[in-house]
Amino acid sequence: MVQRRKTFRQFLQQDQGLDTDLMMLLEDIATACRAISDHVRNGAFANVLGAADSTNVQGEEQKKLDVIADEEFMLHCANSTRVAALVSEEVDDVHWLKDAPQAGDFLVYFDPLDGSSNVDVNLSVGSIFSIMRLKEAVTPSDAAVLCPGTEQICAGYAIYGRSTGLVITTGSGVHGFTYETGTGEFLLTQPEMTVPPKTVEYAINSARETFWYDPIRHYIADCVAGKDGPRGTKFNMRWTASMVADVHRILTRGGVFLYPMDSGNEATGGKLRLMYEANPMGMLIEQAGGAASTGTSRILEVAPQSHHQRVPVILGSRDEIAQIEAYHSQD
Ligand code: F6P
């Protein structure tokens, strides 16, 4: 008899030993991702492609799907009576759901549609999320959501690509699920995803070369020099302009992803957001055996100053991240 794969719920219940509140929140997030997946897939029919004629808090042009994806996350995460607050890339203010949050309540951070410039050209996009748990009762304020990435109890993303995937960690490894369209279930397809320590593949937006500082300039020059260069190895470059797609590739076959601080983004602290991009991806990569760094320090230990804070991001195969950090300490 064919063995049926584990469903997301069975996995959370049987393998992860999560408490009911966290399990239900993760199921609500999976429901939001299912709904977003359908919007993304039906895009051209449902008139959801293109610009929304608005900008988000980051000053970026919003796509219609950015707005729709944000609504799905807001709607489904608000189901749980244990969610204290939601922090979305698309919304300026922290969205408090409770007037008097208690110890044990959740903070949920999310980028509802990452890489959305890829939507109109039918390339992979995704949703990223991070969950923390309040250690004590707090009064709602912006400062109350500023916990470092080491305090995450769960991180994950959905990828809307050739198939829809959901990848999560609750602190014991990284596990991948695939959306089965017939049943509407996420089924466990990639248990224990790992990032090999070595790689010959890097991902960076090389059009920013003119802005790079020396450590990145020298590292990339040495990779490009290939077999005859100081690394003595032929490297490949892959950049999708969708962090979820690049991280998914790294979790599948290794590699490094770089969005470093450069002279063009230094004024804002980098490009990617700490609380709902760098932290959750950093936790996933570390849990899979990789490393996540700003270039000089561990991303998960960055002390957040604001909920939309940006940070340099360099993550992936462990040995290669150590190399890149060495370029930073030499230059
Ligand atoms: O805003 C996030 C993001 O879209 C990431 O998903 C992606 O890695 C990056 O920005 C793309 O940046 P750029 O437009 O510089 O290629």
Side-chain angles (χ1 to χ4, degrees):
M1 200 176 94
V2 180
Q3 182 99 37
R4 179 150 166 78
R5 290 179 188 274
K6 256 186 197 160
T7 63
F8 189 53
R9 173 179 293 184
Q10 284 169 334
F11 172 81
L12 296 179
Q13 251 169 359
Q14 296 167 9
D15 298 11
Q16 298 283 283
L18 303 184
D19 63 73
T20 313
D21 291 326
L22 181 55
M23 225 180 66
M24 285 171 67
L25 172 58
L26 283 171
E27 290 203 335
D28 289 336
I29 289 175
T31 303
C33 295
R34 249 192 301 267
I36 297 167
S37 171
D38 290 345
H39 290 301
V40 170
R41 286 196 194 297
N42 290 329
F45 305 119
N47 193 27
V48 294
L49 300 183
D53 293 330
S54 53
T55 51
N56 66 11
V57 55
Q58 331 284 343
E60 297 159 345
E61 182 199 83
Q62 281 181 308
K63 299 278 183 190
K64 287 183 198 164
L65 272 172
D66 282 321
V67 178
I68 293 168
D70 185 60
E71 286 168 1
E72 294 290 1
F73 256 85
M74 289 282 179
L75 180 74
H76 292 286
C77 289
N79 260 345
S80 162
T81 54
R82 294 312 302 268
V83 175
L86 303 171
V87 176
S88 166
E89 183 195 8
E90 300 302 326
V91 182
D92 195 353
D93 295 329
V94 177
H95 183 65
W96 287 96
L97 293 164
K98 289 190 158 194
D99 296 334
Q102 297 301 307
D105 285 348
F106 300 116
L107 302 173
V108 184
Y109 310 78
F110 54 88
D111 179 352
L113 198 66
D114 181 66
S116 56
S117 66
N118 277 329
V119 160
D120 294 350
V121 291
N122 207 2
L123 292 175
S124 295
V125 290
S127 305
I128 312 174
F129 61 90
S130 158
I131 303 173
M132 307 216 195
R133 207 193 279 266
L134 288 175
K135 294 202 173 96
E136 53 195 35
V138 295
T139 306
S141 71
D142 284 0
V145 302
L146 300 181
C147 314
T150 45
E151 289 183 20
Q152 294 173 104
I153 56 166
C154 177
Y157 64 80
I159 180 165
Y160 314 116
R162 184 180 57 75
S163 58
T164 291
L166 184 62
V167 174
I168 66 152
T169 180
T170 59
S172 53
V174 178
H175 310 282
F177 301 79
T178 304
Y179 178 44
E180 190 183 48
T181 46
T183 59
E185 297 272 13
F186 279 105
L187 301 179
L188 182 63
T189 44
Q190 291 126 294
E192 305 292 351
M193 297 171 88
T194 51
V195 179
K198 295 192 186 307
T199 185
V200 291
E201 202 162 75
Y202 65 92
I204 191 167
N205 179 352
S206 53
R208 299 189 65 83
E209 180 170 358
T210 175
F211 300 121
W212 289 345
Y213 290 127
D214 281 350
I216 297 296
R217 186 182 305 287
H218 293 157
Y219 169 71
I220 298 294
D222 290 352
C223 293
V224 170
K227 273 207 172 315
D228 299 331
R231 302 292 305 276
T233 308
K234 181 180 178 305
F235 281 80
N236 257 334
M237 206 289 282
R238 296 285 180 268
W239 181 251
T240 65
S242 168
M243 188 189 198
V244 169
D246 282 323
V247 168
H248 196 66
R249 187 187 58 250
I250 291 169
L251 282 169
T252 306
R253 67 175 191 218
V256 288
F257 169 95
L258 304 97
Y259 216 118
M261 171 94 79
D262 62 33
S263 64
N265 64 32
E266 183 161 18
T268 54
K271 154 110 186 190
L272 300 177
R273 272 59 60 128
L274 175 63
M275 306 301 281
Y276 39 80
E277 291 181 315
N279 273 343
M281 291 311 204
M283 182 179 183
L284 285 161
I285 290 286
E286 284 193 3
Q287 281 291 319
S293 169
T294 62
T296 52
S297 55
R298 185 179 173 217
I299 285 176
L300 299 196
E301 287 175 9
V302 172
Q305 306 297 315
S306 77
H307 53 277
H308 291 302
Q309 177 172 340
R310 297 177 192 253
V311 70
V313 176
I314 299 172
L315 52 76
S317 293
R318 203 175 51 228
D319 292 1
E320 202 59 23
I321 299 299
Q323 285 274 356
I324 299 170
E325 285 185 328
Y327 279 76
H328 280 81
S329 47
Q330 282 153 22
D331 277 322

